[in-house]
């Protein structure tokens, strides 16, 4: 059973690497104390101004034991249009272990010399009273030639009828050298109104940009 799950995970990685058609943005692998986490991202501009873009990401979590839900899978596509102010609209389609959904949201994007901010509140078009918030903050100051400090904080929360349903935080702290990033990492998820920790994972990460 464990070998089958590892094989499935490798198929996911290889499939998206070979179907990227030159638009692959990054691949991350994070082995931790409780599971292995992978994140594959793609980015494709729709127009020459990069105002309209298509971004997709596929994440998988593989536990080390033989529990029934050993693989947790998520894939989402984000069609964005961003105005010069940094504000814009987003249409989101996603699928995971629990089913599929379609969301509509408003995003804000700002990129500076050594930092970037992306924030996206959205509402489900297929489930009533379901709101979500996604944001990612990156700080990458130069240390010396070809070397940067790399820090990233990713936040995701879901509210059902105004009550907290689920949240995830992904933290990365390390170094960036050319197209590679590596360092220490943490993934933490909480469920319910009392924010009970559902799972946590601490380890190291390796990212490769294409």
């Amino acid at each position: 059973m464990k070998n089958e799950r590892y094989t499935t995970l490798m198929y996911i990685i290889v499939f998206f690497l070979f179907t990227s058609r030159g638009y692959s943005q990054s691949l991350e692998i994070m082995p931790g104390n409780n599971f292995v986490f992978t994140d594959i991202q793609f980015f494709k501009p729709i127009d020459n101004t990069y105002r309209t873009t298509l971004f997709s990401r596929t994440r998988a979590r593989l536990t080390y034991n033989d529990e029934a839900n050993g693989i947790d899978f998520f894939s989402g596509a984000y069609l964005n249009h961003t105005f010069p102010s940094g504000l814009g609209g987003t249409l989101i389609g996603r699928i995971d272990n629990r089913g599929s959904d379609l969301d509509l949201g408003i995003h804000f994007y700002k990129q500076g010399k050594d930092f970037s901010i992306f924030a996206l509140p959205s509402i489900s078009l297929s489930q009533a009273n379901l709101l979500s918030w996604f944001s990612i903050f990156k700080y990458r100051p130069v240390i010396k030639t070809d070397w940067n400090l790399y820090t990233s904080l990713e936040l995701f929360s879901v509210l059902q009828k105004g009550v907290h349903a689920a949240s995830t935080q992904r933290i990365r702290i390390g170094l960036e050298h050319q197209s590679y990033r590596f360092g220490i990492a943490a993934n933490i998820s909480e469920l319910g109104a009392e924010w009970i920790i559902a799972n946590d994972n601490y380890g190291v990460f390796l990212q490769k940009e294409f």
Side-chain angles (χ1 to χ4, degrees):
M1 179 69 69
K2 184 182 295 186
N3 290 335
E4 290 178 359
R5 294 205 308 273
Y6 277 107
T7 301
T8 301
L9 182 63
M10 292 307 300
Y11 281 155
I12 292 170
I13 293 173
V14 171
F15 172 78
F16 282 99
L17 284 177
F18 281 91
T19 57
S20 64
R21 297 182 181 179
Y23 294 112
S24 177
Q25 187 181 33
S26 69
L27 166 65
E28 176 187 281
I29 299 178
M30 177 205 167
N33 60 318
N34 288 319
F35 54 82
V36 176
F37 174 81
T38 64
D39 189 359
I40 305 171
Q41 301 181 10
F42 304 96
F43 175 83
K44 179 180 179 179
I46 305 299
D47 58 14
N48 294 331
T49 65
Y50 279 69
R51 294 297 179 194
T52 304
T53 60
L54 179 64
F55 170 74
S56 67
R57 70 184 307 177
T58 298
R59 300 191 301 264
R61 186 186 71 195
L62 173 68
T63 58
Y64 298 119
N65 55 38
D66 290 327
E67 63 185 41
N69 296 321
I71 291 182
D72 188 45
F73 176 81
F74 167 90
S75 186
Y78 303 74
L79 180 61
N80 303 298
H81 183 80
T82 306
F83 297 99
S85 63
L87 290 171
T90 302
L91 181 64
I92 310 156
R94 55 190 177 196
I95 185 170
D96 59 25
N97 297 62
R98 291 161 290 278
S100 59
D101 202 358
L102 187 65
D103 290 7
L104 185 64
I106 298 174
H107 69 260
F108 174 75
Y109 176 70
K110 175 70 174 180
Q111 182 168 356
K113 180 180 179 181
D114 51 17
F115 75 92
S116 63
I117 300 172
F118 181 82
L120 171 62
S122 61
I123 183 170
S124 172
L125 299 179
S126 56
Q127 301 183 52
N129 302 310
L130 188 67
L131 305 174
S132 64
W133 170 274
F134 171 75
S135 58
I136 184 166
F137 309 89
K138 292 185 179 182
Y139 180 55
R140 303 158 61 184
V142 175
I143 299 176
K144 62 178 184 178
T145 303
D146 289 335
W147 285 91
N148 293 62
L149 175 68
Y150 179 77
T151 60
S152 173
L153 173 62
E154 185 175 325
L155 307 172
F156 178 71
S157 292
V158 177
L159 301 178
Q160 179 74 56
K161 296 182 179 179
V163 178
H164 176 263
S167 287
T168 298
Q169 303 85 43
R170 299 186 182 93
I171 304 166
R172 305 291 185 264
I173 301 175
L175 296 173
E176 180 177 37
H177 178 62
Q178 297 179 352
S179 61
Y180 291 92
R181 302 165 184 162
F182 53 90
I184 59 175
N187 288 7
I188 306 169
S189 296
E190 302 91 5
L191 294 176
E194 298 181 355
W195 291 69
I196 297 173
I197 294 179
N199 60 72
D200 54 356
N201 196 47
Y202 306 95
V204 296
F205 75 94
L206 174 64
Q207 291 182 11
K208 167 65 176 176
E209 279 197 348
F210 299 91

